[in-house]
Amino acid sequence: EVQLLESGGGLVQPGGSLRLSCAASGFTFSSYAMSWVRQAPGKGLEWVSGINAGGGNTYYADSVKGRFTISRDNSKNTLSLQMNSLKIEDTAVYYCTKVFADHIWANVNYWGQGMLVTVSS
Amino acid sequence: DIVMTQSPDSLAVSLGERATINCKSSQSILYSSNNMNYLAWYQQKPGQPPKLLIHWASTRESGVPDRFSGSGSGTDFTLSISSLQDEDVAVYYCQQHYSVPLTFGGGTKVEIK
């Protein structure tokens, strides 16, 4: 059974940093691309960032480019999202997601339960 | 960026009746080399993460009831629920995975009339 368990969320002040982690199990982690998708309170879904299976290619939404960094450790089956210079508009539930292929140009087929990040003073 | 526009924003349908949701992309998401439409549909129930229903525009995910179907090609797509059930009350999203940034439609809320 595929499991994606996010951790690291919480309350942070504007301009602060936070690191989200996602522990993956139930599949061969190193064979699949992964991504982060977020959902602001009461709003729709927004793709944030993606990384290919090998970790050599990363992609970002314009809204987070230069502030967020996605990475993965295939030896530990872990996906991470380093979030710097956080803004109030980054407040959202962040979902760790598994992509259907080794590249990001495929649909998501599994979602974690989500982790709330609140940016507020 | 490819803009995904869903319609309607919400709809109320009687139990057992058909629900139809539309999704339009601002440019074609049909990849000519493999003739595949890079479009997926997701269902999100309150308090839960989204769940994949349909991929490649019309391929039902394993375990998804056959009352759900996807159709369309190029820029115009449709998700249909042939006979609405109580458990189908949710918000439905389309997403293109043709180009970065991968983008979602705004969502369609389906309720029981």
Side-chain angles (χ1 to χ4, degrees):
Chain A
E1 178 192 6
V2 171
Q3 291 195 341
L4 302 169
L5 186 60
E6 300 99 338
S7 61
L11 175 64
V12 62
Q13 291 188 338
S17 298
L18 213 55
R19 186 178 182 87
L20 299 183
S21 294
C22 173
S25 61
F27 64 101
T28 305
F29 182 73
S30 59
S31 296
Y32 294 93
M34 301 289 291
S35 67
W36 291 95
V37 176
R38 69 185 181 184
Q39 187 169 36
K43 302 297 184 182
L45 302 170
E46 180 188 14
W47 177 84
V48 172
S49 180
I51 187 168
N52 71 331
N57 295 304
T58 58
Y59 309 87
Y60 299 93
D62 286 346
S63 58
V64 307
K65 199 173 295 182
R67 300 187 298 122
F68 290 12
T69 302
I70 191 172
S71 62
R72 63 190 297 160
D73 185 338
N74 285 346
S75 69
K76 296 182 179 179
N77 291 353
T78 300
L79 176 72
S80 297
L81 185 68
Q82 177 66 42
M83 304 184 292
N84 298 331
S85 303
L86 282 161
K87 304 176 181 179
I88 290 175
E89 53 264 37
D90 293 319
T91 295
V93 172
Y94 285 73
Y95 293 103
C96 168
T97 72
K98 172 186 172 292
V99 180
F100 190 52
D102 60 356
H103 55 80
I104 69 160
W105 291 277
N107 57 276
V108 164
N109 59 349
Y110 288 97
W111 301 68
Q113 287 301 306
M115 177 63 60
L116 178 61
V117 171
T118 303
V119 184
S120 174
S121 54
Chain B
D1 299 2
I2 297 178
V3 177
M4 305 300 289
T5 302
Q6 283 185 236
S7 62
D9 292 337
S10 64
L11 76 160
V13 175
S14 300
L15 284 172
E17 296 299 305
R18 174 178 290 272
T20 301
I21 300 168
N22 301 301
C23 175
K24 187 175 182 68
S25 57
S26 59
Q27 65 187 74
S28 176
I29 53 176
L30 172 63
Y31 192 37
S32 56
S33 66
N34 60 10
N35 203 38
M36 301 295 283
N37 288 284
Y38 281 46
L39 182 107
W41 288 97
Y42 303 92
Q43 174 194 63
Q44 186 178 32
K45 297 182 179 180
Q48 296 183 19
K51 170 190 170 185
L52 175 66
L53 294 178
I54 303 283
H55 55 103
W56 301 126
S58 59
T59 301
R60 199 179 306 113
E61 176 71 349
S62 174
V64 173
D66 60 7
R67 63 181 180 273
F68 290 92
S69 64
S71 63
S73 184
T75 61
D76 292 280
F77 302 90
T78 299
L79 174 70
S80 296
I81 311 172
S82 60
S83 175
L84 193 73
Q85 305 298 307
D86 279 325
E87 60 265 32
D88 301 333
V89 170
V91 179
Y92 294 83
Y93 296 92
C94 60
Q95 184 208 19
Q96 65 82 17
H97 47 91
Y98 181 89
S99 71
V100 173
L102 312 185
T103 46
F104 290 88
T108 296
K109 186 174 185 179
V110 174
E111 299 172 310
I112 304 294
K113 184 186 292 182

